[in-house]
């Protein structure tokens, strides 16, 4: 953490913030607190301006080219799974999906719209490697489902998708402001990518129509078809990610959730 000491000086106490990248830290000194991250996307500035993430305080470039960002470190907590039903969650996700500023910035950063064919191709390529050490029949059934349905999933409206709408990424501050954090995997894609994961994970099916109306759309069969496709593909992606990191217990937990979802919706 020498680079942090160089930026902040000796008066600050710095502690790792956890996370998968190991590049995030909490820093505090007399009456001041910051959340620091190395090599965050320039996208962070637009997210801050839109009020979607805590305020960006400063950005500094190191001599080696690394960029350090400092955000407000807020008192707050992550949402509980049952709180994902709240209309504020639907409203914030809708704001993100309908923001032309976010979409323009992500496109300028070189993100092209993600197609279902690309999603499927990546999953199949990853699985070829994973099968050598940890082949599972549920995974192959899920991939077969995706292959059979991929031609029906194309959609001409693309938005900024967070790509990991897990309840852990929703922050409710002590002054009751809701944020969606951890944007490292953001993509330009079909909004069903975010909606599928969120609804299949947290919202009882009998409440889907109400939740989607609060989000701002009237659901139809094509939306539901895209949602289950993307929910399955994202579940597979997370399973593969844990498998490639050797985190087999977590992969087992996610595989059981995938199996349950596929069983409930007649995929297997």
């Amino acid at each position: 953490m020498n680079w942090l000491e160089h930026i902040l000086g000796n008066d600050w106490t710095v502690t790792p913030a956890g996370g998968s990248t190991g590049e995030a830290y909490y820093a505090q000194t007399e009456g001041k607190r910051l959340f620091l991250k190395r090599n965050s996307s320039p996208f962070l500035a637009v997210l801050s301006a839109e009020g979607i993430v805590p305020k960006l305080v400063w950005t500094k470039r190191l001599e080696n080219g690394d960029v350090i960002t400092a955000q407000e470190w807020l008192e707050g907590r992550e949402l509980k799974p049952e709180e994902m039903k709240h209309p504020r969650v639907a409203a914030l996700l809708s704001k993100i999906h309908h923001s032309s500023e976010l979409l323009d910035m992500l496109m300028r950063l070189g993100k092209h719209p993600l197609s279902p064919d690309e999603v499927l191709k990546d999953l199949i390529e990853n699985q070829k490697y994973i099968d050598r050490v940890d082949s599972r029949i549920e995974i192959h059934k899920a991939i077969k489902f995706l292959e059979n349905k991929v031609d029906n999933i194309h959609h001409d409206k693309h938005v900024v998708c967070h790509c990991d709408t897990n309840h852990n990424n929703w922050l409710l501050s002590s002054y009751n402001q809701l944020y969606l954090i951890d944007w490292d995997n953001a993509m330009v894609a079909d909004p069903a990518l975010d909606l599928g994961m969120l609804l299949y994970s947290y919202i009882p099916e009998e409440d889907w129509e109400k939740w989607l109306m609060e989000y701002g759309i009237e659901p139809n069969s094509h939306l539901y078809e895209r949602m289950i496709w993307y929910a399955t593909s994202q579940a597979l992606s997370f399973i593969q990610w844990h498998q490639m990191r050797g985190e087999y217990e977590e992969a087992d937990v996610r595989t059981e959730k995938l199996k349950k979802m596929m069983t409930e919706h007649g995929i297997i």
Side-chain angles (χ1 to χ4, degrees):
M1 289 189 287
N2 291 336
W3 54 274
L4 286 177
E5 295 170 1
H6 174 71
I7 290 175
L8 296 172
N10 297 325
D11 297 334
W12 291 77
T13 301
V14 179
T15 54
S20 59
T21 63
E23 299 284 6
Y25 301 87
Y26 296 120
Q28 58 183 329
T29 188
E30 301 170 357
K32 298 180 181 178
R33 305 196 308 168
L34 297 172
F35 174 75
L36 304 176
K37 197 163 186 180
R38 180 157 59 179
N39 292 333
S40 287
S41 167
F43 191 46
L44 187 64
V46 185
L47 292 166
S48 170
E50 294 275 304
I52 292 162
V53 299
K55 183 180 177 181
L56 181 63
V57 180
W58 50 254
T59 300
K60 297 184 179 181
R61 183 176 293 276
L62 302 182
E63 291 181 1
N64 67 358
D66 285 350
V67 175
I68 312 303
T69 53
Q71 290 173 265
E72 287 182 317
W73 172 12
L74 299 174
E75 288 289 349
R77 62 173 179 82
E78 65 187 36
L79 289 189
K80 300 171 184 175
E82 59 272 16
E83 291 176 315
M84 297 294 284
K85 302 174 188 176
H86 198 282
R88 287 181 65 183
V89 174
L92 181 53
L93 191 60
S94 180
K95 175 182 177 179
I96 292 163
H97 285 174
H98 288 90
S99 171
S100 58
E101 289 80 10
L102 293 181
L103 182 59
D104 289 346
M105 173 57 93
L106 211 52
M107 295 287 280
R108 285 204 300 272
L109 292 172
K111 296 284 189 180
H112 68 276
L114 182 67
S115 72
D117 305 274
E118 289 175 282
V119 172
L120 181 57
K121 180 182 177 183
D122 286 345
L123 290 170
I124 291 171
E125 288 299 315
N126 289 340
Q127 199 59 39
K128 287 178 183 176
Y129 167 77
I130 292 167
D131 278 344
R132 300 174 194 168
V133 292
D134 189 21
S135 182
R136 305 178 185 213
I137 192 166
E138 295 91 352
I139 302 302
H140 288 275
K141 287 181 177 179
I143 290 176
K144 190 66 177 176
F145 163 75
L146 296 178
E147 288 177 327
N148 290 339
K149 296 289 186 179
V150 67
D151 290 339
N152 302 331
I153 303 306
H154 292 272
H155 184 60
D156 58 6
K157 180 174 174 57
H158 297 100
V159 303
V160 169
C161 287
H162 181 273
C163 299
D164 186 6
T165 52
N166 189 291
H167 71 97
N168 297 322
N169 287 327
W170 296 81
L171 172 67
L172 185 65
S173 75
S174 58
Y175 56 90
N176 203 34
Q177 178 66 41
L178 184 64
Y179 299 101
L180 181 57
I181 60 174
D182 195 357
W183 282 85
D184 290 345
N185 298 315
M187 298 292 295
V188 176
D190 183 343
L193 190 154
D194 279 345
L195 293 170
M197 179 182 178
L198 195 153
L199 268 69
Y200 276 97
S201 298
Y202 299 110
I203 312 300
E205 194 163 350
E206 61 269 21
D207 295 334
W208 283 6
E209 184 173 359
K210 178 185 176 185
W211 194 98
L212 287 165
M213 295 291 278
E214 289 165 343
Y215 167 87
I217 57 174
E218 192 166 338
N220 56 50
S221 59
H222 189 231
L223 173 63
Y224 289 145
E225 188 174 20
R226 286 158 33 224
M227 279 170 45
I228 186 62
W229 196 94
Y230 279 110
T232 303
S233 70
Q234 278 195 293
L236 282 173
S237 180
F238 284 118
I239 291 167
Q240 290 180 342
W241 188 78
H242 287 294
Q243 287 175 317
M244 287 189 280
R245 289 166 58 94
E247 298 167 352
Y248 297 112
E249 287 188 13
E250 183 61 30
D252 287 342
V253 170
R254 288 185 177 268
T255 301
E256 283 304 308
K257 290 181 179 178
L258 172 63
K259 185 178 178 181
K260 181 174 182 288
M261 182 177 70
M262 292 194 301
T263 301
E264 288 176 352
H265 293 88
I267 298 173
I268 59 173

